PDB file of all heavy atoms in Angstrom:
ATOM      1  N   LEU A 382      55.186 -66.773  76.187  1.00 94.00           N
ATOM      2  CA  LEU A 382      54.259 -66.735  74.977  1.00 94.00           C
ATOM      3  C   LEU A 382      54.078 -65.050  74.718  1.00 94.00           C
ATOM      4  O   LEU A 382      54.004 -64.732  73.520  1.00 94.00           O
ATOM      5  CB  LEU A 382      52.937 -67.226  75.316  1.00 94.00           C
ATOM      6  CG  LEU A 382      52.950 -68.773  75.369  1.00 94.00           C
ATOM      7  CD1 LEU A 382      51.651 -69.333  75.763  1.00 94.00           C
ATOM      8  CD2 LEU A 382      53.213 -69.449  74.030  1.00 94.00           C
ATOM      9  N   ALA A 383      53.984 -64.274  75.676  1.00 94.00           N
ATOM     10  CA  ALA A 383      53.947 -62.859  75.479  1.00 94.00           C
ATOM     11  C   ALA A 383      55.028 -62.294  74.813  1.00 94.00           C
ATOM     12  O   ALA A 383      55.007 -61.451  73.863  1.00 94.00           O
ATOM     13  CB  ALA A 383      53.671 -62.154  76.866  1.00 94.00           C
ATOM     14  N   GLY A 384      56.242 -62.800  75.123  1.00 94.00           N
ATOM     15  CA  GLY A 384      57.466 -62.341  74.541  1.00 94.00           C
ATOM     16  C   GLY A 384      57.500 -62.669  73.074  1.00 94.00           C
ATOM     17  O   GLY A 384      58.007 -61.932  72.189  1.00 94.00           O
ATOM     18  N   GLU A 385      56.949 -64.006  72.625  1.00 94.00           N
ATOM     19  CA  GLU A 385      57.006 -64.398  71.269  1.00 94.00           C
ATOM     20  C   GLU A 385      55.942 -63.512  70.496  1.00 94.00           C
ATOM     21  O   GLU A 385      56.347 -63.206  69.362  1.00 94.00           O
ATOM     22  CB  GLU A 385      56.585 -65.891  71.249  1.00 94.00           C
ATOM     23  CG  GLU A 385      57.650 -66.751  71.769  1.00 94.00           C
ATOM     24  CD  GLU A 385      57.041 -68.214  72.018  1.00 94.00           C
ATOM     25  OE1 GLU A 385      55.866 -68.460  71.532  1.00 94.00           O
ATOM     26  OE2 GLU A 385      57.705 -69.135  72.369  1.00 94.00           O
ATOM     27  N   ARG A 386      54.826 -63.189  71.054  1.00 94.00           N
ATOM     28  CA  ARG A 386      53.920 -62.344  70.388  1.00 94.00           C
ATOM     29  C   ARG A 386      54.434 -60.990  70.156  1.00 94.00           C
ATOM     30  O   ARG A 386      54.264 -60.527  68.979  1.00 94.00           O
ATOM     31  CB  ARG A 386      52.579 -62.230  71.209  1.00 94.00           C
ATOM     32  CG  ARG A 386      51.778 -63.495  71.226  1.00 94.00           C
ATOM     33  CD  ARG A 386      50.463 -63.384  71.933  1.00 94.00           C
ATOM     34  NE  ARG A 386      49.749 -64.558  72.105  1.00 94.00           N
ATOM     35  CZ  ARG A 386      48.472 -64.768  72.589  1.00 94.00           C
ATOM     36  NH1 ARG A 386      47.832 -63.547  73.119  1.00 94.00           N
ATOM     37  NH2 ARG A 386      48.050 -65.887  72.819  1.00 94.00           N
ATOM     38  N   LEU A 387      55.069 -60.426  70.982  1.00 94.00           N
ATOM     39  CA  LEU A 387      55.756 -59.077  70.762  1.00 94.00           C
ATOM     40  C   LEU A 387      56.750 -59.118  69.701  1.00 94.00           C
ATOM     41  O   LEU A 387      56.833 -58.307  68.882  1.00 94.00           O
ATOM     42  CB  LEU A 387      56.337 -58.547  72.090  1.00 94.00           C
ATOM     43  CG  LEU A 387      55.285 -58.218  73.256  1.00 94.00           C
ATOM     44  CD1 LEU A 387      56.138 -57.913  74.562  1.00 94.00           C
ATOM     45  CD2 LEU A 387      54.461 -57.171  72.817  1.00 94.00           C
ATOM     46  N   ALA A 388      57.627 -60.242  69.786  1.00 93.00           N
ATOM     47  CA  ALA A 388      58.728 -60.323  68.831  1.00 93.00           C
ATOM     48  C   ALA A 388      58.126 -60.398  67.463  1.00 93.00           C
ATOM     49  O   ALA A 388      58.767 -59.937  66.413  1.00 93.00           O
ATOM     50  CB  ALA A 388      59.647 -61.505  69.234  1.00 93.00           C
ATOM     51  N   GLN A 389      56.964 -61.193  67.212  1.00 93.00           N
ATOM     52  CA  GLN A 389      56.467 -61.409  65.941  1.00 93.00           C
ATOM     53  C   GLN A 389      55.949 -60.086  65.226  1.00 93.00           C
ATOM     54  O   GLN A 389      55.813 -60.045  64.091  1.00 93.00           O
ATOM     55  CB  GLN A 389      55.339 -62.385  65.982  1.00 93.00           C
ATOM     56  CG  GLN A 389      55.809 -63.821  66.355  1.00 93.00           C
ATOM     57  CD  GLN A 389      54.808 -64.852  66.673  1.00 93.00           C
ATOM     58  OE1 GLN A 389      53.538 -64.365  66.693  1.00 93.00           O
ATOM     59  NE2 GLN A 389      55.095 -66.134  66.983  1.00 93.00           N
ATOM     60  N   LEU A 390      55.573 -59.107  66.126  1.00 92.00           N
ATOM     61  CA  LEU A 390      55.039 -57.903  65.493  1.00 92.00           C
ATOM     62  C   LEU A 390      56.171 -56.919  65.190  1.00 92.00           C
ATOM     63  O   LEU A 390      55.765 -55.991  64.457  1.00 92.00           O
ATOM     64  CB  LEU A 390      54.182 -57.231  66.773  1.00 92.00           C
ATOM     65  CG  LEU A 390      52.940 -57.964  67.080  1.00 92.00           C
ATOM     66  CD1 LEU A 390      52.304 -57.285  68.286  1.00 92.00           C
ATOM     67  CD2 LEU A 390      51.953 -58.004  65.975  1.00 92.00           C
ATOM     68  N   MET A 391      57.366 -57.175  65.557  1.00 91.00           N
ATOM     69  CA  MET A 391      58.410 -56.208  65.389  1.00 91.00           C
ATOM     70  C   MET A 391      59.218 -56.411  63.992  1.00 91.00           C
ATOM     71  O   MET A 391      59.294 -57.411  63.398  1.00 91.00           O
ATOM     72  CB  MET A 391      59.275 -56.177  66.539  1.00 91.00           C
ATOM     73  CG  MET A 391      58.715 -55.833  67.858  1.00 91.00           C
ATOM     74  SD  MET A 391      58.044 -54.235  67.924  1.00 91.00           S
ATOM     75  CE  MET A 391      56.267 -54.694  68.209  1.00 91.00           C
ATOM     76  N   ARG A 392      59.837 -55.208  63.574  1.00 90.00           N
ATOM     77  CA  ARG A 392      60.820 -55.302  62.538  1.00 90.00           C
ATOM     78  C   ARG A 392      62.051 -55.647  62.917  1.00 90.00           C
ATOM     79  O   ARG A 392      62.390 -55.734  64.212  1.00 90.00           O
ATOM     80  CB  ARG A 392      60.788 -53.975  61.785  1.00 90.00           C
ATOM     81  CG  ARG A 392      59.528 -53.340  61.354  1.00 90.00           C
ATOM     82  CD  ARG A 392      59.672 -51.883  61.116  1.00 90.00           C
ATOM     83  NE  ARG A 392      60.156 -51.203  62.209  1.00 90.00           N
ATOM     84  CZ  ARG A 392      60.492 -49.841  62.230  1.00 90.00           C
ATOM     85  NH1 ARG A 392      60.580 -49.171  61.018  1.00 90.00           N
ATOM     86  NH2 ARG A 392      61.032 -49.247  63.222  1.00 90.00           N
ATOM     87  N   LYS A 393      62.946 -56.069  62.003  1.00 88.00           N
ATOM     88  CA  LYS A 393      64.357 -56.395  62.428  1.00 88.00           C
ATOM     89  C   LYS A 393      65.098 -55.302  63.050  1.00 88.00           C
ATOM     90  O   LYS A 393      65.967 -55.489  63.926  1.00 88.00           O
ATOM     91  CB  LYS A 393      65.135 -56.863  61.084  1.00 88.00           C
ATOM     92  CG  LYS A 393      64.696 -58.066  60.480  1.00 88.00           C
ATOM     93  CD  LYS A 393      65.597 -58.592  59.487  1.00 88.00           C
ATOM     94  CE  LYS A 393      65.107 -59.976  58.872  1.00 88.00           C
ATOM     95  NZ  LYS A 393      66.099 -60.459  57.877  1.00 88.00           N
ATOM     96  N   ALA A 394      64.784 -54.107  62.780  1.00 88.00           N
ATOM     97  CA  ALA A 394      65.475 -52.880  63.281  1.00 88.00           C
ATOM     98  C   ALA A 394      64.993 -52.580  64.747  1.00 88.00           C
ATOM     99  O   ALA A 394      65.580 -51.908  65.358  1.00 88.00           O
ATOM    100  CB  ALA A 394      65.182 -51.697  62.433  1.00 88.00           C
ATOM    101  N   ASP A 395      63.856 -53.161  65.132  1.00 93.00           N
ATOM    102  CA  ASP A 395      63.202 -52.959  66.402  1.00 93.00           C
ATOM    103  C   ASP A 395      63.812 -53.949  67.551  1.00 93.00           C
ATOM    104  O   ASP A 395      64.408 -54.989  67.142  1.00 93.00           O
ATOM    105  CB  ASP A 395      61.793 -53.092  66.425  1.00 93.00           C
ATOM    106  CG  ASP A 395      61.113 -52.086  65.363  1.00 93.00           C
ATOM    107  OD1 ASP A 395      61.700 -50.968  65.200  1.00 93.00           O
ATOM    108  OD2 ASP A 395      60.060 -52.393  64.842  1.00 93.00           O
TER     109      ASP A 395
END
Side-chain angles (χ1 to χ4, degrees):
L382 292 174
E385 290 173 5
R386 289 185 185 181
L387 292 174
Q389 290 168 1
L390 294 173
M391 298 302 119
R392 306 166 299 171
K393 288 185 177 180
D395 302 330

